[in-house]
Amino acid sequence: MAPSTSTIATTVAVIAGGFIAYAAYFDYRRRNDPEFRRSLRREYRRQARSEKEKAEAGVQAQRQRIKQAVDEAKEEGFPTSVEEKEAYFLEMVQNGELLGTDPTKTFDSALAFYKALKVYPTPGELINIYDKTVGKPILEILAEMIAYDGTLRLGPAAPPPNVDIAEMMREMAAASAGLD
């Protein structure tokens, strides 16, 4: 037998009345009982401290994961010939872009972009491109990977070791003097 409309309305009214009564009682205790207020503040602080510790543990775990991934990538090694580097770069950028579309794969996407960065001849320029095209969560992870990797040179490419910079500067100065 189905409950009547008046039974349902009475049940809902009793539940709502109970809720309102509890809310009024809670508010009364909060306003008039100093010990109750203290316990609420303690509980709030305890919860805030717990959340902060969880966040710090998450950051530490993320850093450890980044260190492990960068170390594994270094151990795997990177291509050495120009053709292999080019193919590897294109593959890693494509993987990074594909993984970057899934918010749950931001770490894997950042790792693919990091690997592409390692074989690119001018990493500083590639970082500028990444800055314009890659999402912020991926960039943050990539920045931590770059910070951890001390072998990655982001400045302008150094001249080959057998080039005399001073001699080049004198030749440029002599050439520009002849134009006047």
Side-chain angles (χ1 to χ4, degrees), residues 133-154:
T133 59
V134 177
K136 186 175 180 185
I138 297 171
L139 278 178
E140 289 173 354
I141 296 171
L142 182 61
E144 288 191 39
M145 289 178 174
I146 292 169
Y148 176 69
D149 184 4
T151 63
L152 194 59
R153 299 292 174 231
L154 300 178

PDB file of all heavy atoms in Angstrom, residues 133-154:
ATOM      1  N   THR A 133      52.240  27.995 -25.613  1.00  0.00           N
ATOM      2  CA  THR A 133      51.353  26.959 -26.139  1.00  0.00           C
ATOM      3  C   THR A 133      50.926  25.900 -25.135  1.00  0.00           C
ATOM      4  O   THR A 133      49.921  25.238 -25.345  1.00  0.00           O
ATOM      5  CB  THR A 133      52.025  26.244 -27.327  1.00  0.00           C
ATOM      6  OG1 THR A 133      53.251  25.664 -26.888  1.00  0.00           O
ATOM      7  CG2 THR A 133      52.274  27.196 -28.467  1.00  0.00           C
ATOM      8  N   VAL A 134      51.657  25.725 -24.059  1.00  0.00           N
ATOM      9  CA  VAL A 134      51.396  24.634 -23.126  1.00  0.00           C
ATOM     10  C   VAL A 134      50.649  25.169 -21.905  1.00  0.00           C
ATOM     11  O   VAL A 134      50.886  26.299 -21.476  1.00  0.00           O
ATOM     12  CB  VAL A 134      52.731  23.970 -22.703  1.00  0.00           C
ATOM     13  CG1 VAL A 134      52.510  22.886 -21.680  1.00  0.00           C
ATOM     14  CG2 VAL A 134      53.427  23.402 -23.921  1.00  0.00           C
ATOM     15  N   GLY A 135      49.778  24.346 -21.335  1.00  0.00           N
ATOM     16  CA  GLY A 135      48.994  24.740 -20.167  1.00  0.00           C
ATOM     17  C   GLY A 135      49.855  24.967 -18.932  1.00  0.00           C
ATOM     18  O   GLY A 135      50.939  24.402 -18.794  1.00  0.00           O
ATOM     19  N   LYS A 136      49.343  25.774 -18.007  1.00  0.00           N
ATOM     20  CA  LYS A 136      50.094  26.156 -16.819  1.00  0.00           C
ATOM     21  C   LYS A 136      50.466  24.969 -15.925  1.00  0.00           C
ATOM     22  O   LYS A 136      51.598  24.903 -15.450  1.00  0.00           O
ATOM     23  CB  LYS A 136      49.312  27.199 -16.025  1.00  0.00           C
ATOM     24  CG  LYS A 136      50.082  27.736 -14.857  1.00  0.00           C
ATOM     25  CD  LYS A 136      49.361  28.839 -14.142  1.00  0.00           C
ATOM     26  CE  LYS A 136      50.227  29.317 -12.990  1.00  0.00           C
ATOM     27  NZ  LYS A 136      49.562  30.297 -12.179  1.00  0.00           N
ATOM     28  N   PRO A 137      49.563  24.007 -15.670  1.00  0.00           N
ATOM     29  CA  PRO A 137      49.971  22.873 -14.811  1.00  0.00           C
ATOM     30  C   PRO A 137      51.153  22.099 -15.390  1.00  0.00           C
ATOM     31  O   PRO A 137      52.052  21.684 -14.661  1.00  0.00           O
ATOM     32  CB  PRO A 137      48.716  21.999 -14.748  1.00  0.00           C
ATOM     33  CG  PRO A 137      47.585  22.897 -15.096  1.00  0.00           C
ATOM     34  CD  PRO A 137      48.149  23.931 -16.015  1.00  0.00           C
ATOM     35  N   ILE A 138      51.176  21.934 -16.696  1.00  0.00           N
ATOM     36  CA  ILE A 138      52.279  21.222 -17.347  1.00  0.00           C
ATOM     37  C   ILE A 138      53.549  22.053 -17.246  1.00  0.00           C
ATOM     38  O   ILE A 138      54.630  21.518 -16.968  1.00  0.00           O
ATOM     39  CB  ILE A 138      51.928  20.913 -18.819  1.00  0.00           C
ATOM     40  CG1 ILE A 138      50.717  19.974 -18.879  1.00  0.00           C
ATOM     41  CG2 ILE A 138      53.112  20.308 -19.559  1.00  0.00           C
ATOM     42  CD1 ILE A 138      50.141  19.761 -20.254  1.00  0.00           C
ATOM     43  N   LEU A 139      53.436  23.369 -17.449  1.00  0.00           N
ATOM     44  CA  LEU A 139      54.609  24.250 -17.360  1.00  0.00           C
ATOM     45  C   LEU A 139      55.216  24.239 -15.962  1.00  0.00           C
ATOM     46  O   LEU A 139      56.436  24.293 -15.818  1.00  0.00           O
ATOM     47  CB  LEU A 139      54.236  25.678 -17.740  1.00  0.00           C
ATOM     48  CG  LEU A 139      54.177  25.988 -19.220  1.00  0.00           C
ATOM     49  CD1 LEU A 139      53.743  27.425 -19.437  1.00  0.00           C
ATOM     50  CD2 LEU A 139      55.499  25.734 -19.888  1.00  0.00           C
ATOM     51  N   GLU A 140      54.375  24.176 -14.937  1.00  0.00           N
ATOM     52  CA  GLU A 140      54.896  24.159 -13.568  1.00  0.00           C
ATOM     53  C   GLU A 140      55.724  22.900 -13.313  1.00  0.00           C
ATOM     54  O   GLU A 140      56.801  22.955 -12.726  1.00  0.00           O
ATOM     55  CB  GLU A 140      53.744  24.261 -12.567  1.00  0.00           C
ATOM     56  CG  GLU A 140      53.095  25.626 -12.550  1.00  0.00           C
ATOM     57  CD  GLU A 140      51.852  25.688 -11.693  1.00  0.00           C
ATOM     58  OE1 GLU A 140      51.402  24.633 -11.187  1.00  0.00           O
ATOM     59  OE2 GLU A 140      51.315  26.791 -11.533  1.00  0.00           O
ATOM     60  N   ILE A 141      55.222  21.761 -13.773  1.00  0.00           N
ATOM     61  CA  ILE A 141      55.976  20.505 -13.605  1.00  0.00           C
ATOM     62  C   ILE A 141      57.251  20.559 -14.433  1.00  0.00           C
ATOM     63  O   ILE A 141      58.323  20.158 -13.969  1.00  0.00           O
ATOM     64  CB  ILE A 141      55.100  19.300 -13.993  1.00  0.00           C
ATOM     65  CG1 ILE A 141      53.900  19.199 -13.048  1.00  0.00           C
ATOM     66  CG2 ILE A 141      55.907  18.012 -13.977  1.00  0.00           C
ATOM     67  CD1 ILE A 141      52.862  18.185 -13.477  1.00  0.00           C
ATOM     68  N   LEU A 142      57.149  21.065 -15.664  1.00  0.00           N
ATOM     69  CA  LEU A 142      58.319  21.172 -16.539  1.00  0.00           C
ATOM     70  C   LEU A 142      59.370  22.088 -15.920  1.00  0.00           C
ATOM     71  O   LEU A 142      60.570  21.788 -15.981  1.00  0.00           O
ATOM     72  CB  LEU A 142      57.890  21.691 -17.910  1.00  0.00           C
ATOM     73  CG  LEU A 142      58.968  21.813 -18.976  1.00  0.00           C
ATOM     74  CD1 LEU A 142      59.587  20.451 -19.267  1.00  0.00           C
ATOM     75  CD2 LEU A 142      58.395  22.402 -20.247  1.00  0.00           C
ATOM     76  N   ALA A 143      58.949  23.168 -15.289  1.00  0.00           N
ATOM     77  CA  ALA A 143      59.895  24.088 -14.639  1.00  0.00           C
ATOM     78  C   ALA A 143      60.639  23.382 -13.509  1.00  0.00           C
ATOM     79  O   ALA A 143      61.851  23.589 -13.337  1.00  0.00           O
ATOM     80  CB  ALA A 143      59.156  25.309 -14.113  1.00  0.00           C
ATOM     81  N   GLU A 144      59.944  22.546 -12.756  1.00  0.00           N
ATOM     82  CA  GLU A 144      60.623  21.807 -11.689  1.00  0.00           C
ATOM     83  C   GLU A 144      61.603  20.791 -12.268  1.00  0.00           C
ATOM     84  O   GLU A 144      62.672  20.561 -11.696  1.00  0.00           O
ATOM     85  CB  GLU A 144      59.601  21.121 -10.782  1.00  0.00           C
ATOM     86  CG  GLU A 144      58.861  22.100  -9.907  1.00  0.00           C
ATOM     87  CD  GLU A 144      58.046  21.415  -8.832  1.00  0.00           C
ATOM     88  OE1 GLU A 144      58.521  20.420  -8.261  1.00  0.00           O
ATOM     89  OE2 GLU A 144      56.927  21.892  -8.575  1.00  0.00           O
ATOM     90  N   MET A 145      61.258  20.182 -13.393  1.00  0.00           N
ATOM     91  CA  MET A 145      62.171  19.234 -14.041  1.00  0.00           C
ATOM     92  C   MET A 145      63.431  19.954 -14.513  1.00  0.00           C
ATOM     93  O   MET A 145      64.542  19.460 -14.345  1.00  0.00           O
ATOM     94  CB  MET A 145      61.478  18.549 -15.220  1.00  0.00           C
ATOM     95  CG  MET A 145      60.421  17.570 -14.828  1.00  0.00           C
ATOM     96  SD  MET A 145      59.639  16.863 -16.287  1.00  0.00           S
ATOM     97  CE  MET A 145      58.600  15.647 -15.534  1.00  0.00           C
ATOM     98  N   ILE A 146      63.250  21.125 -15.099  1.00  0.00           N
ATOM     99  CA  ILE A 146      64.388  21.906 -15.588  1.00  0.00           C
ATOM    100  C   ILE A 146      65.261  22.344 -14.417  1.00  0.00           C
ATOM    101  O   ILE A 146      66.490  22.297 -14.485  1.00  0.00           O
ATOM    102  CB  ILE A 146      63.894  23.123 -16.399  1.00  0.00           C
ATOM    103  CG1 ILE A 146      63.234  22.649 -17.692  1.00  0.00           C
ATOM    104  CG2 ILE A 146      65.032  24.080 -16.699  1.00  0.00           C
ATOM    105  CD1 ILE A 146      62.474  23.725 -18.430  1.00  0.00           C
ATOM    106  N   ALA A 147      64.615  22.762 -13.320  1.00  0.00           N
ATOM    107  CA  ALA A 147      65.370  23.202 -12.144  1.00  0.00           C
ATOM    108  C   ALA A 147      66.182  22.050 -11.556  1.00  0.00           C
ATOM    109  O   ALA A 147      67.298  22.250 -11.082  1.00  0.00           O
ATOM    110  CB  ALA A 147      64.424  23.770 -11.094  1.00  0.00           C
ATOM    111  N   TYR A 148      65.641  20.856 -11.585  1.00  0.00           N
ATOM    112  CA  TYR A 148      66.354  19.700 -11.034  1.00  0.00           C
ATOM    113  C   TYR A 148      67.518  19.271 -11.922  1.00  0.00           C
ATOM    114  O   TYR A 148      68.556  18.851 -11.433  1.00  0.00           O
ATOM    115  CB  TYR A 148      65.391  18.526 -10.836  1.00  0.00           C
ATOM    116  CG  TYR A 148      66.083  17.285 -10.354  1.00  0.00           C
ATOM    117  CD1 TYR A 148      66.615  17.223  -9.069  1.00  0.00           C
ATOM    118  CD2 TYR A 148      66.233  16.179 -11.180  1.00  0.00           C
ATOM    119  CE1 TYR A 148      67.270  16.090  -8.623  1.00  0.00           C
ATOM    120  CE2 TYR A 148      66.885  15.043 -10.742  1.00  0.00           C
ATOM    121  CZ  TYR A 148      67.399  15.002  -9.471  1.00  0.00           C
ATOM    122  OH  TYR A 148      68.056  13.880  -9.034  1.00  0.00           O
ATOM    123  N   ASP A 149      67.352  19.415 -13.228  1.00  0.00           N
ATOM    124  CA  ASP A 149      68.387  18.985 -14.175  1.00  0.00           C
ATOM    125  C   ASP A 149      69.451  20.070 -14.305  1.00  0.00           C
ATOM    126  O   ASP A 149      69.235  21.096 -14.926  1.00  0.00           O
ATOM    127  CB  ASP A 149      67.762  18.696 -15.533  1.00  0.00           C
ATOM    128  CG  ASP A 149      68.759  18.154 -16.531  1.00  0.00           C
ATOM    129  OD1 ASP A 149      69.930  17.923 -16.153  1.00  0.00           O
ATOM    130  OD2 ASP A 149      68.381  17.947 -17.696  1.00  0.00           O
ATOM    131  N   GLY A 150      70.613  19.836 -13.722  1.00  0.00           N
ATOM    132  CA  GLY A 150      71.694  20.814 -13.775  1.00  0.00           C
ATOM    133  C   GLY A 150      72.452  20.815 -15.097  1.00  0.00           C
ATOM    134  O   GLY A 150      73.221  21.726 -15.371  1.00  0.00           O
ATOM    135  N   THR A 151      72.231  19.819 -15.939  1.00  0.00           N
ATOM    136  CA  THR A 151      72.983  19.730 -17.196  1.00  0.00           C
ATOM    137  C   THR A 151      72.328  20.500 -18.334  1.00  0.00           C
ATOM    138  O   THR A 151      72.939  20.678 -19.375  1.00  0.00           O
ATOM    139  CB  THR A 151      73.130  18.260 -17.633  1.00  0.00           C
ATOM    140  OG1 THR A 151      71.838  17.707 -17.883  1.00  0.00           O
ATOM    141  CG2 THR A 151      73.839  17.451 -16.566  1.00  0.00           C
ATOM    142  N   LEU A 152      71.109  20.950 -18.152  1.00  0.00           N
ATOM    143  CA  LEU A 152      70.379  21.638 -19.216  1.00  0.00           C
ATOM    144  C   LEU A 152      70.812  23.090 -19.277  1.00  0.00           C
ATOM    145  O   LEU A 152      70.706  23.827 -18.304  1.00  0.00           O
ATOM    146  CB  LEU A 152      68.873  21.543 -18.950  1.00  0.00           C
ATOM    147  CG  LEU A 152      67.947  21.901 -20.094  1.00  0.00           C
ATOM    148  CD1 LEU A 152      68.209  21.012 -21.298  1.00  0.00           C
ATOM    149  CD2 LEU A 152      66.514  21.752 -19.661  1.00  0.00           C
ATOM    150  N   ARG A 153      71.336  23.512 -20.415  1.00  0.00           N
ATOM    151  CA  ARG A 153      71.806  24.888 -20.602  1.00  0.00           C
ATOM    152  C   ARG A 153      70.727  25.677 -21.337  1.00  0.00           C
ATOM    153  O   ARG A 153      70.383  25.370 -22.472  1.00  0.00           O
ATOM    154  CB  ARG A 153      73.108  24.921 -21.418  1.00  0.00           C
ATOM    155  CG  ARG A 153      74.232  24.174 -20.756  1.00  0.00           C
ATOM    156  CD  ARG A 153      74.675  24.890 -19.491  1.00  0.00           C
ATOM    157  NE  ARG A 153      75.657  24.094 -18.782  1.00  0.00           N
ATOM    158  CZ  ARG A 153      75.579  23.802 -17.510  1.00  0.00           C
ATOM    159  NH1 ARG A 153      74.581  24.230 -16.799  1.00  0.00           N
ATOM    160  NH2 ARG A 153      76.504  23.077 -16.929  1.00  0.00           N
ATOM    161  N   LEU A 154      70.222  26.716 -20.692  1.00  0.00           N
ATOM    162  CA  LEU A 154      69.124  27.481 -21.264  1.00  0.00           C
ATOM    163  C   LEU A 154      69.580  28.754 -21.964  1.00  0.00           C
ATOM    164  O   LEU A 154      68.814  29.363 -22.678  1.00  0.00           O
ATOM    165  CB  LEU A 154      68.120  27.849 -20.167  1.00  0.00           C
ATOM    166  CG  LEU A 154      67.499  26.650 -19.456  1.00  0.00           C
ATOM    167  CD1 LEU A 154      66.553  27.132 -18.370  1.00  0.00           C
ATOM    168  CD2 LEU A 154      66.785  25.753 -20.424  1.00  0.00           C
TER     169      LEU A 154
END
